[in-house]
Amino acid sequence: MSSAINSTRVTNNCKTKLTNEQVKEMIKAAQQGDNSTRSTLVNHNLRLVWSVVQRFLGRGHEAEDLFQVGCIGLLKAVDKFDLSFDVKFSTYAVPMILGEIQRFLRDDGLVKVSRSLKEQSSKIRSAIETLTKTKNRTPTIHEVAVYLGVDDEEVVLAQEANRMPGSIDETVYEHEGDPITLLDQLADDINKDWFDKFTIQEILKKLTARQRLIVYLRYFKDHTQSEVANRLGVSQVQISRLEKKILKLVKVELN
C-alpha cells in the first residue's frame, strides 16, 4: 500500500475548498511526480471516497477495507485524469472509485467464479448493451447467444454465476408471520431420497440444451412461464407446450 493511501486513513480534515483550477494544477503536479501534492489532493477528496463506500456497506466487508480500495480508485483517477477534459475531477473520479470497489467485491466474492465465466459474463453485458441500442429494447437470451455465437444455456449460466449469492437466512416464504428461510428448505431436502435426485439428474442429461434451460429457469430459478417466454423470445403458450412435453418425457423415463 502506497504512502499516499496510508495518509488517507484518517477522516478528511482539509476544510479549504479547492477551485477547479487549483485541482487541475495539483493534478498536473501529481502527474509530474510530486507525491506530496498527490497525497494532498487525495486528502481533499476523502469525503468523495466515503460517499461511494456507503453504497457497498453490509456486503460482508469492513468499511475500512472498502475505503482503502476506493482510495486506490481515487489514485488511479488522479493519474489518468486528462487535463483537457471539460469536467470536474470529482465527476471523473466517482466512476473510477466505483469500478475499483466493484472489481474488488467481484474478485473477492464468497463464491469463486472461473476466469472464463467472468470473461463470458463481460462479453454478455457488452452484447446486451449493443443489442439494446440497436433494437431499442432488452434482447432475449437467444438473441444474445446468436450475437456471441454460443448456446442459450451458456448465456444463462454465465449470468447466474456472477450474481451475488443469497443468504441461507433469507426469507423465501412467509405465512401469517411465520417465515420459512432457505436454511429451512435445505434442512427439509436432507430428509429426501438422494437416489431420486440422481435419477432426475440422469434424465435431464438426455434433454436438449433448450429443454434443460426451460427446466432450469422454471424449477430451479422459480421463473413463471411468462418470464421464461420473455427471456427466450417466444410466447407463453409455446413455453407451456414445451414444458408439458418435457414433463411427459421425464415421466416416461421415471417409469
Side-chain angles (χ1 to χ4, degrees), residues 117 120-121 124 153-163:
L117 271 178
Q120 186 74 300
S121 181
I124 289 170
E153 205 171 23
E154 290 183 53
V155 175
V156 174
L157 289 176
Q159 287 180 314
E160 294 297 334
N162 281 278
R163 294 184 188 277

Side-chain angles (χ1 to χ4, degrees), residues 69-88:
V69 174
C71 284
I72 294 174
L74 177 60
L75 287 170
K76 288 183 178 181
V78 172
D79 295 338
K80 296 182 179 182
F81 184 74
D82 189 332
L83 293 168
S84 66
F85 284 177
D86 187 24
V87 296
K88 289 184 177 181

Side-chain angles (χ1 to χ4, degrees), residues 9 71 99 107 115 188 212 248 254:
R9 300 189 66 174
C71 284
D107 295 342
R115 182 176 295 277
D188 289 341
R212 287 197 301 272
K248 185 176 180 180
L254 284 173

Side-chain angles (χ1 to χ4, degrees), residues 2 23 39 86 105 118 134 169-170 185 191 215 240 244:
S2 70
V23 170
S39 295
D86 187 24
L105 292 174
K118 289 180 181 178
T134 57
D169 295 316
E170 178 183 354
Q185 291 190 325
N191 297 321
V215 171
S240 178
K244 288 179 181 178

Side-chain angles (χ1 to χ4, degrees), residues 49-74:
V49 177
W50 276 117
S51 67
V52 175
V53 167
Q54 301 302 312
R55 309 182 193 184
F56 298 94
L57 297 180
R59 299 195 183 187
H61 291 83
E62 294 292 333
E64 177 68 12
D65 293 336
L66 296 177
F67 172 70
Q68 293 293 329
V69 174
C71 284
I72 294 174
L74 177 60

Side-chain angles (χ1 to χ4, degrees), residues 185 189 192 200 204 207 210-225 227-228 239-248 250-251:
Q185 291 190 325
D189 283 344
K192 294 180 180 179
I200 293 294
L204 291 178
L207 301 178
R210 184 167 186 166
Q211 289 172 332
R212 287 197 301 272
L213 181 57
I214 292 172
V215 171
Y216 175 74
L217 293 174
R218 284 283 290 129
Y219 297 98
F220 290 85
K221 302 306 294 183
D222 293 326
H223 288 339
T224 64
Q225 288 184 345
E227 289 171 334
V228 175
I239 292 298
S240 178
R241 289 173 180 169
L242 287 169
E243 188 175 339
K244 288 179 181 178
K245 182 179 178 180
I246 293 168
L247 292 177
K248 185 176 180 180
V250 171
K251 287 181 181 177

